[in-house]
Structure formats: structure tokens, C-alpha cells
Amino acid sequence: MAKNLVIVESPAKAKTIEKILGKDFEVKSCFGHIRDLEKDDMGIDIENNFKPKYVIPEDKEKVVKELKKLAKDTDEVWLATDEDREGEAISWHLCEVLHLDPKTTKRIVFHEITKPAIENAVQHPRKLDMDRVNAQQARRILDRIVGFEISPVLWRKMSMRNSLSAGRVQSVAVRLIVEREREINHFQSVSTFKVEAYFTGKDINGKNISFKADGPGKFKTAEDAEKFLQQCVAAAYTVKDIQVKPGKKSPAAPFTTSTLQQEASRKLGYSVSKTMLLAQKLYESGNITYMRTDSVNLSDTAVGEIEKAIKKSFGDKYHQHRKFKNKNESAQEAHEAIRPTYMENTTVEDSDTRKLYELIWKRTIASQMADAELEKTIAKIDISTNHEELTASGEVLKFDGFLKVYMESHDDEEEQEDEQEGSLPPLAVKQSLDLKEMKATERFSRPAPRYTEASLVKKLEELGIGRPSTYAPTITTIQKRNYVEKRDKEGIKRDFRILVLKADKISKQTESENTGAEKSKLFPTDLGMIVTDFLNQYFNNVMDYGFTAKIEEEFDEIASGKKVWNNMLKEFYFPFHKDVENTLENAERVKGERPLGTDAASGKPIVARMGRYGPMIQIGSVEDEEKPRFAKLKATQSIETISLEEAMELFKLPRNLGLFEGTDVVVNIGRFGPYAQHDKKFYSLKKEMDPYTVELDEVAPLIAEKRTAKDERTIKIFEKEKIQILKGPYGPYIKQGLKNFKIPKEKIDTAADLTVEEAKAIIEEAKANPPKKKAPPRKKKAE
DNA sequence: CAGTGAGCGAGCTTCCGCTTGACTT
């Protein structure tokens, strides 16, 4: 038994540190938090000054038991959890559970897992910082109160009430998406005309050249643009002035969780959860440093390694020592930036993680490289027939610097393309130019783009909302709650006008472009919008974009001993709780109704609204003698934007397509999407089939297809015993009635040879030994 | 698996932030 027990949060870290510290130290991991607030009754004794009731969750019992045993048998326990607020709290919980004295137990921290950092930490232990622990408790308790008091309000007040939730982070994330959507819906596009002139001529060396110049500003109307072109008829063009300016570009800071998620999304098209999964793999295999971090700092050791790598591969002049500072005030910087552990590994074997690793490698190495040097040339071109001038500009890369390995991408790629500049040929002042043609092209202003997962993370980080470990789970949650969905949107065709001046004649053309197409963007659902409106109305304090930043300041005051944590909670809780009670008492049940007009056939009102099972259209009211008619909205439609015509279309279902094998085939949209019904059986329509237009000859093959699929799935049937041996996604299994049974491993390969007796025996065996309940029991979600 | 849409009341859900596994019907 080692003399010293060191406890860290992550098991991968434990392994590395154990190697560094040697045989007197045993390093174990507690796998993050080991206690949490009890779930029943909030786990907070509000009357008793917000006294928290902590319990050890079932899935942590094992590790706690093991740590208890080790702690008993060791001379000294060292608490080496992360230096941030959460880490300090984890150490305190360890003291409580392992019966260590917080006043004497050694607390050490390292911001980087390097030999000097760890040895230095062991030489300078401190004691637990209770102020910081209390700041964490205040954070935890406040989040519990917000989540567990508002969510039940939603269950009471929403017409759709299946497992709705609200929280300090998720509700604001949804709000951002809802507001962006409305901004887009209300956006009024304005068109302007942009002039571009194409010249030919000879450069200073007598070489034939051609280049482009931009016109003087944008014209508001086609008439203004035409007037300008008219003025240019028969004009002479001369170079009036040439300016050359040096410029430079600097590399971005090394990756944090948030910037890694953004770049992996833009460059590799990964979702944030995919990025984190792959990063976790790279971390566990020892290839990169910790992947949940908000720090841009690199250890001195790493900076040295990077310098060596740059000088070796690219030469001394490509190196430039840089130290990055976090812009974000909410950063807690318990770790390093995300970087390769060994710079000499330019790639990894594993093909799944390779692209992400290479991205991290490039970004890291670029961050210590020299600036790229540019030369920007601007030529002014005089028009003889008016007082305006044209501008041609070009950019030449004089020294590539960090661009040799890496260039950061931006969200608004389209805008970038517009501004992308090539080089300008060498021209001389007073040189005359030949106009090939001049175009005035109509351009439309665009609304802000919808959020991607990654751009939402960026926004949340800017607002100081959420932490590196929660960005990915938050995005999953708001989608799982059906507040938000990720999908593509097809663009629409739009015409634009072009005026062309060529050979002193003006001609007009119309062309069309596709606009508004989006891929993998976050759209709010009707539910998301309705819940957001409700929360904004009754809980505007918590929904405020600055709320987290405000309470973070207070947590900082608690951490620095300037404020008492219970008092902070008191100040928050009582007004908040009053809002909760007021809402419960006064708010009406929300239906999200929007009147669309009157039905021409019956004269009854038509409304779009939220039903118990989702957004729908209703004609007439329940008070009418005749029952109202209902139709479900399509997935891409929304209560807020659907038109009366679109709504009426929805009543064309169910459609009878005619007879097949003597019985009717009827298509409709159900709980699981569009389907056809024939002879009491159901057949899902293929994705490309539109239930509003699909014909019988397209649907009939589905019926045959399903019949053969069923045959293929069946390995064997014992008719009398009602036992089937079927092929499932995890291999063959036995089905009796509605119940499924696993086939023992040794018989899996010969499942087709099973006899009735053998199958019966397996069923009996399974019934006698029901599979053990796993801890924690995963609750089945009611769909 | 393929309905419904009101209201009542049973009994359920829910937060954020630390960490990784377990293993399918």
C-alpha cells in the first residue's frame, strides 16, 4: 500500500500523474462529482437557510466505497481535483465522505499535466478554500431551484405537457434560437445595385492583362444604376493613383472546447457531440490534453516543444513566441488549451479521430508561428465623363507565416467569398485602360443566419452561459425536449436584375439564383416558441441574457469572501418564488392560438394552435354542434408562419388512392409520419413520397416489399407454440408472443438449427433468471 | 406503431456541472 493517496477527477489523468510521482504515490480518480442534491423535494431545506441535502448517486457508490477503503489504509490523502469552483467543491465532498479534516487535508492543483508542474504542486500544498466551495454550492442550489421550480409550472400551464423543462442555461439557449427565427421571418430584404467594371490593357511590362474594379458605392434603384452607366458611355479610363500598403494576419489562439467545436463544425462538418466524442477518444489514448477547457494557455514545456517543431519543419523565421490571454471573463482556466501531447506526432493511426487530431495539431503549431505578411494595392481609376471613380484592389502574400499550416474559418463564408481578393497586375499611374464591360448587379440584403450547433455554443460562451462540459449536453437537451430541431432548409428561387454596359450600349438582363438554403441549422419548434414566450412573460429575470453574468459576479464575491452564500440565495429566491406562485395562480393555460381566417365552405373560424399532440389547425369550435375538424401541421410548418391556403391543404388527408387486391389503400399522416393503410396493415411511406400527391402505383410496391422483408427477418417459426426465431439488429433472437429472449452466445451461430425444445428451454431459463437490474436503472422513456 | 384535439386527476416528468462506461430487442 502506497504511503500517499492522490485523488484527481479524471482516470486518464490519474494514470499519467502516477507515472510522474513514482511509487510512494497512488493516484486514483473520483470520476467527477461524487455527491449531488437529493432529487425528491428539491434537496434543499429552504426554511433552514438553504441547507443542501446531499446524497451519493447510485452510480458513484462503487467508486466512493473504493476511495474510502484506500483512504483508510494510507498515511496521507492529497486532494488534486481541478482548481476551478467545481473542483474545489469536489474536494470538499471528498473530505465529507472520506471523513478528512478540511482544515488539515492537503489540497494541490495543477493547470497542466507536466512533470515540473506536478512536482511543484506537491511541494506547495494548500488547504481547502471554503469560500470557493460555498460559491459552488450557491451555483448548484440556484440551478436546482430555477430548474425544479419552473419546470413544474410548465407542466401545469402548457397544453403539451410531456416532460417539459426549463433551466438557467437551456431556456436562454432556446430563446436565442427563437429570437433569431423571428428576426429572419420579419426581415425585409432590400436590394441595391453593385457596379463592377472589367478592364483589359497592358501592364508596366507590356504584358496583356485583365482585372476587375468596383464602382462607387451601391445604387439604391435600378434607375440610379442605369443613370450611372449612362454617364459612363464613351468614357475614357485612366489610372489616377496607386497605393501600396503593408498588412498582416495573425494566427488564432490554440483551441478551447468552444473554438474546437466551432472549427470542427465549419471545417469537418461535425456536430458538437461528435467532436467531443472523438476528442474524448484522443484524450484517453494520450494523444491530446484535456478536451473540456476554457483556457488558451499552453504550458512552458509545450511552448518549447512547439518551437522546436516549427524550427525543424519550417525554419527559424516561421517561429514567433506568443502568449494568449483569455478574452472571456467567465473562464475558470483549470486546464491548458487543447493541444497534442506530443508535437512530433503530426497524425494518429486511428482513422476516426485522425482529422480532428490533425486540426488540433495545425491550430496548435500555427499559434506559435510568425504573422503572415501581405501587401495590399489599391488603384483608383478615373472616369472621364463624370466625377466618380472606380477602385481596383489586390492583395499579395509576401510571407505566408502561419498560413503555411492553418487558416481559421468563419461562419459567414458567403460574405468572405465576396471579399476574397486576388492579386492586382502591376499598373502605372496615368496609364489608360480599355473597358470590356461594366455591370450593375442587383444584390439583396440578408438576415442574420440561423444558428448552427457550434455558432450557438459560441454565442452562449460570449454570454458566459454554460461551461465546456455542458455545451454539447445542452444542445442535445433542447433538441430532445423538442424545443429546437436541427434540419436543412431548401432555398427559394429569386430573380435579380443585371444592367450591362458594353460597347457603349446598355442592355438589361434578368437572372435567377437560389437563396435562403440552409444546412444543419437549428430551428425552433412551435413548442419552443410558445414555451419561450411564456417564460419571457413570467420569468424575465432568469430569461435575461445578462442573468448568468450577473449571478456569476455574485458567485465571485462569495468566492472572495465578500458575500455570504445563503444571503445571496435569499436575495434571489424570495422574489423568484413569488413569480412562481403568481404564475401558478394567474397564468392561463397556453394554447398558442393564431387565427387564420374563416372557412369558405362552412363560415367557421380557422385557427392554428398547439394541441396535446403537437401543432394543428382547427376549423370550428368544440361548442359547435358539429365536431370541429382537425389537421396536423407538417414538420416544416409553424403556427407563426402558416398561411390560410397552406392550412386548407392539410385537410386533403386522408386520401383514398383506390383499390389494391380488392381493398382500399388510404394514405394519411400519423404519429410516426406518412403511412398507407391497406387491409388493416400499415406501411410507412418512403421519404420522397408526398402523401398529398402520391399515387397507387407508387404505394403498391411498398406492400410487397414489407411482405418479403418480413420473410427475410424470419429464421424459423414454431406455429403451435407461438415461438419465432427472428433476425434482429443485434443478431438472432427468440420471440414468444410479445416478449423477446436472448439466445445464449454458444448457440447464436446455429440459431437456425434450434429445436422447439431448445427454444422452450431458453425461454424457461430466461424466465427463471430474470436479467439483473442495472444500477442505475435506466428509466424507459414514454414516447 | 399509425388516435387524438375538452377537462378531471392519477402519477409521471425537471436543473447544471463534474466524470466515464455499459450493452441492447
Side-chain angles (χ1 to χ4, degrees):
Chain A
M1 190 60 62
K3 285 186 219 136
N4 296 283
L5 173 67
V6 179
I7 303 175
V8 298
E9 290 180 40
S10 150
K13 214 190 266 182
K15 263 191 263 165
T16 322
I17 296 172
E18 197 162 53
K19 267 186 225 144
I20 294 171
L21 283 176
K23 63 172 171 33
D24 286 343
F25 291 84
E26 183 169 15
V27 187
K28 283 284 164 189
S29 146
C30 66
F31 295 85
H33 274 295
I34 53 157
R35 295 203 301 181
D36 193 13
L37 295 172
E38 191 183 82
K39 281 215 167 175
D40 308 326
D41 200 29
M42 293 241 292
I44 305 161
D45 189 351
I46 288 162
E47 311 288 294
N48 199 353
N49 223 347
F50 301 91
K51 191 172 190 283
K53 292 178 235 171
Y54 290 114
V55 291
I56 298 168
E58 250 183 289
D59 58 339
K60 288 292 163 64
E61 277 171 6
K62 206 179 131 198
V63 64
V64 168
K65 205 173 140 193
E66 196 195 338
L67 289 175
K68 268 187 181 167
K69 190 170 172 298
L70 289 169
K72 218 178 73 187
D73 297 339
T74 197
D75 294 346
E76 181 117 57
V77 177
W78 301 65
L79 302 171
T81 53
D82 297 345
E83 167 127 66
D84 55 18
R85 200 162 63 200
E86 299 296 325
E88 202 69 17
I90 292 172
S91 276
W92 174 72
H93 283 297
L94 284 165
C95 285
E96 293 269 298
V97 170
L98 305 180
H99 307 296
L100 307 169
D101 184 355
K103 292 198 174 65
T104 58
T105 304
K106 285 180 173 158
R107 169 85 171 102
I108 53 171
V109 292
F110 4 83
H111 296 253
E112 49 187 70
I113 310 302
T114 56
K115 201 169 155 80
I118 288 164
E119 282 169 353
N120 183 46
V122 171
Q123 275 152 29
H124 301 97
R126 60 170 173 87
K127 301 289 173 291
L128 205 66
D129 181 351
M130 273 317 286
D131 287 334
R132 197 179 283 196
V133 172
N134 288 335
Q136 191 277 344
Q137 296 202 84
R139 197 281 305 155
R140 177 68 192 92
I141 292 168
L142 184 137
D143 281 337
R144 170 55 68 83
I145 289 170
V146 169
F148 276 38
E149 291 214 357
I150 301 185
S151 299
V153 175
L154 293 179
W155 305 338
R156 292 266 302 270
K157 299 296 181 183
M158 290 293 131
S159 43
M160 263 187 107
R161 43 183 167 168
N162 45 341
S163 66
L164 298 178
S165 67
R168 175 178 56 85
V169 173
Q170 58 167 284
S171 298
V172 177
V174 177
R175 179 180 176 186
L176 284 166
I177 294 163
V178 168
E179 282 180 358
R180 178 60 56 85
E181 188 70 21
R182 290 190 174 142
E183 219 178 284
I184 293 167
N185 288 340
H186 296 149
F187 186 78
Q188 299 282 349
S189 185
V190 201
S191 83
T192 51
F193 286 79
K194 191 185 158 196
V195 172
E196 285 174 330
Y198 297 84
F199 288 107
T200 55
K202 295 211 188 298
D203 70 4
I204 48 172
N205 305 316
K207 224 172 91 186
N208 284 328
I209 52 158
S210 64
F211 68 95
K212 187 190 93 180
D214 294 323
K218 289 170 178 169
F219 295 101
K220 281 194 176 135
T221 64
E223 290 69 37
D224 288 351
E226 191 175 353
K227 214 164 107 192
F228 175 75
L229 293 188
Q230 198 67 53
Q231 286 172 3
C232 293
V233 168
Y237 302 88
T238 42
V239 177
K240 191 162 96 184
D241 174 47
I242 298 173
Q243 274 185 40
V244 181
K245 279 189 214 154
K248 63 172 191 176
K249 279 196 179 109
S250 301
F255 280 133
T256 60
T257 303
S258 146
T259 53
L260 176 68
Q261 289 171 347
Q262 290 162 42
E263 276 289 84
S265 162
R266 291 184 289 235
K267 283 202 154 86
L268 308 174
Y270 293 170
S271 68
V272 300
S273 55
K274 178 168 184 181
T275 299
M276 292 314 281
L277 196 81
L278 297 174
Q280 176 89 28
K281 270 173 108 177
L282 285 168
Y283 168 66
E284 282 172 14
S285 55
N287 285 301
I288 61 167
T289 55
Y290 197 58
M291 65 285 157
R292 290 186 276 263
T293 176
D294 52 20
S295 169
V296 289
N297 193 51
L298 297 169
S299 72
D300 291 342
T301 328
V303 167
E305 291 295 314
I306 297 164
E307 180 175 347
K308 257 192 270 171
I310 295 169
K311 287 183 173 168
K312 196 179 142 211
S313 309
F314 310 111
D316 286 12
K317 66 172 180 173
Y318 277 91
H319 174 258
Q320 182 176 329
H321 177 78
R322 296 173 196 272
K323 193 153 179 72
F324 293 92
K325 281 221 172 66
N326 268 73
K327 267 186 257 162
N328 206 319
E329 279 178 26
S330 67
Q332 300 189 20
E333 308 200 47
H335 307 94
E336 272 191 80
I338 304 170
R339 62 164 173 91
T341 21
Y342 306 105
M343 283 314 292
E344 59 267 35
N345 298 343
T346 55
T347 188
V348 288
E349 290 264 310
D350 177 43
S351 61
D352 284 351
T353 52
R354 191 179 299 142
K355 280 187 190 157
L356 191 70
Y357 179 83
E358 288 174 2
L359 189 69
I360 296 168
W361 188 88
K362 286 179 186 165
R363 174 90 164 207
T364 307
I365 202 149
S367 77
Q368 295 293 318
M369 286 175 77
D371 287 341
E373 287 164 28
L374 310 162
E375 196 180 82
K376 193 163 183 166
T377 309
I378 298 170
K380 299 277 183 198
I381 297 158
D382 191 55
I383 307 169
S384 64
T385 53
N386 61 30
H387 297 296
E388 303 287 355
E389 60 183 19
L390 303 166
T391 310
S393 57
E395 213 173 62
V396 181
L397 194 62
K398 287 297 197 186
F399 173 60
D400 53 0
F402 77 96
L403 290 178
K404 202 171 191 79
V405 292
Y406 184 87
M407 180 66 200
E408 190 181 31
S409 311
H410 293 277
D411 285 325
D412 37 12
E413 299 281 330
E414 281 177 64
E415 305 258 326
Q416 264 206 323
E417 255 169 54
D418 287 354
E419 285 164 21
Q420 197 92 85
E421 290 175 19
S423 61
L424 196 64
L427 301 167
V429 177
K430 295 195 177 149
Q431 159 179 5
S432 66
L433 300 161
D434 300 323
L435 181 74
K436 206 171 103 195
E437 63 176 7
M438 197 185 285
K439 274 187 190 172
T441 312
E442 186 175 25
R443 286 280 146 227
F444 296 85
S445 60
R446 277 190 299 242
R450 288 185 177 82
Y451 286 104
T452 62
E453 289 190 351
S455 68
L456 180 65
V457 168
K458 183 181 177 184
K459 185 70 191 176
L460 288 172
E461 191 190 34
E462 281 167 12
L463 294 169
I465 299 171
R467 303 279 312 133
S469 68
T470 60
Y471 295 138
T474 299
I475 282 172
T476 309
T477 302
I478 60 177
Q479 292 180 70
K480 218 164 76 189
R481 297 266 172 276
N482 194 26
Y483 292 150
V484 163
E485 55 194 15
K486 189 164 80 172
R487 62 163 196 263
D488 302 342
K489 186 176 186 243
E490 275 180 42
I492 47 163
K493 244 173 107 176
R494 176 171 64 191
D495 290 340
F496 64 98
R497 292 168 284 175
I498 308 175
L499 308 173
V500 184
L501 168 67
K502 198 172 181 177
D504 290 336
K505 283 203 184 76
I506 294 171
S507 60
K508 292 176 193 176
Q509 308 166 8
T510 302
E511 284 186 24
S512 70
E513 62 182 349
N514 208 26
T515 183
E518 304 224 59
K519 257 196 123 58
S520 279
K521 292 295 178 75
L522 298 174
F523 290 75
T525 61
D526 287 303
L527 179 67
M529 296 199 192
I530 290 169
V531 168
T532 298
D533 288 343
F534 179 83
L535 294 176
N536 277 342
Q537 186 180 347
Y538 293 100
F539 300 99
N540 59 345
N541 184 29
V542 175
M543 292 297 281
D544 192 290
Y545 291 129
F547 176 71
T548 292
K550 197 189 104 213
I551 58 167
E552 278 292 339
E553 268 176 35
E554 300 189 48
F555 295 147
D556 286 346
E557 285 174 33
I558 296 170
S560 58
K562 286 182 211 140
K563 198 160 197 163
V564 181
W565 70 274
N566 326 59
N567 291 347
M568 184 255 163
L569 285 175
K570 215 181 288 170
E571 282 163 29
F572 166 74
Y573 181 75
F574 291 103
F576 168 79
H577 187 69
K578 223 169 151 184
D579 287 346
V580 172
E581 289 191 327
N582 166 51
T583 311
L584 284 173
E585 203 172 317
N586 298 319
E588 282 193 31
R589 181 167 283 252
V590 179
K591 287 182 184 168
E593 272 188 346
R594 178 172 161 248
L596 294 181
T598 28
D599 177 24
S602 64
K604 287 180 179 175
I606 304 173
V607 292
R609 71 173 183 92
M610 200 59 158
R612 246 203 298 180
Y613 307 99
M616 60 175 192
I617 306 292
Q618 179 176 340
I619 303 181
S621 100
V622 279
E623 283 104 54
D624 297 351
E625 244 175 79
E626 223 182 326
K627 255 188 88 170
R629 294 175 68 201
F630 300 105
K632 215 171 139 155
L633 261 63
K634 288 191 211 174
T636 52
Q637 293 176 327
S638 102
I639 293 175
E640 236 160 82
T641 54
I642 194 166
S643 68
L644 182 60
E645 292 73 43
E646 289 163 338
M648 292 316 289
E649 272 293 300
L650 298 171
F651 287 92
K652 294 191 174 160
L653 290 182
R655 285 171 63 223
N656 192 333
L657 302 188
L659 295 175
F660 178 73
E661 292 176 356
T663 25
D664 282 325
V665 176
V666 177
V667 289
N668 201 352
I669 299 179
R671 169 90 170 73
F672 305 98
Y675 67 93
Q677 193 174 18
H678 175 251
D679 194 20
K680 290 179 191 152
K681 290 197 189 73
F682 296 92
Y683 304 89
S684 290
L685 293 189
K686 292 255 166 69
K687 239 200 194 141
E688 64 273 13
M689 295 183 187
D690 179 357
Y692 293 91
T693 57
V694 78
E695 292 301 332
L696 185 59
D697 57 346
E698 296 168 84
V699 173
L702 289 179
I703 297 169
E705 210 175 285
K706 190 162 178 180
R707 284 175 188 162
T708 50
K710 206 181 164 192
D711 289 345
E712 277 168 16
R713 231 162 59 90
T714 313
I715 299 174
K716 213 172 202 177
I717 300 180
F718 303 113
E719 198 78 51
K720 207 169 73 202
E721 291 81 4
K722 292 199 170 136
I723 295 174
Q724 292 174 298
I725 301 173
L726 302 172
K727 223 184 281 175
Y730 312 109
Y733 65 99
I734 298 175
K735 186 181 182 111
Q736 187 188 38
L738 290 172
K739 280 194 171 160
N740 296 322
F741 301 92
K742 214 167 138 178
I743 298 176
K745 270 196 193 101
E746 61 276 13
K747 286 181 185 161
I748 283 276
D749 293 335
T750 54
D753 306 330
L754 284 175
T755 61
V756 202
E757 285 71 30
E758 280 176 309
K760 272 186 180 166
I762 291 169
I763 294 169
E764 288 311 314
E765 174 78 17
K767 280 182 178 165
N769 306 304
K772 265 180 277 171
K773 275 237 169 91
K774 289 281 166 240
R778 282 188 79 79
K779 275 181 200 141
K780 225 182 144 161
K781 222 168 129 45
E783 270 293 311

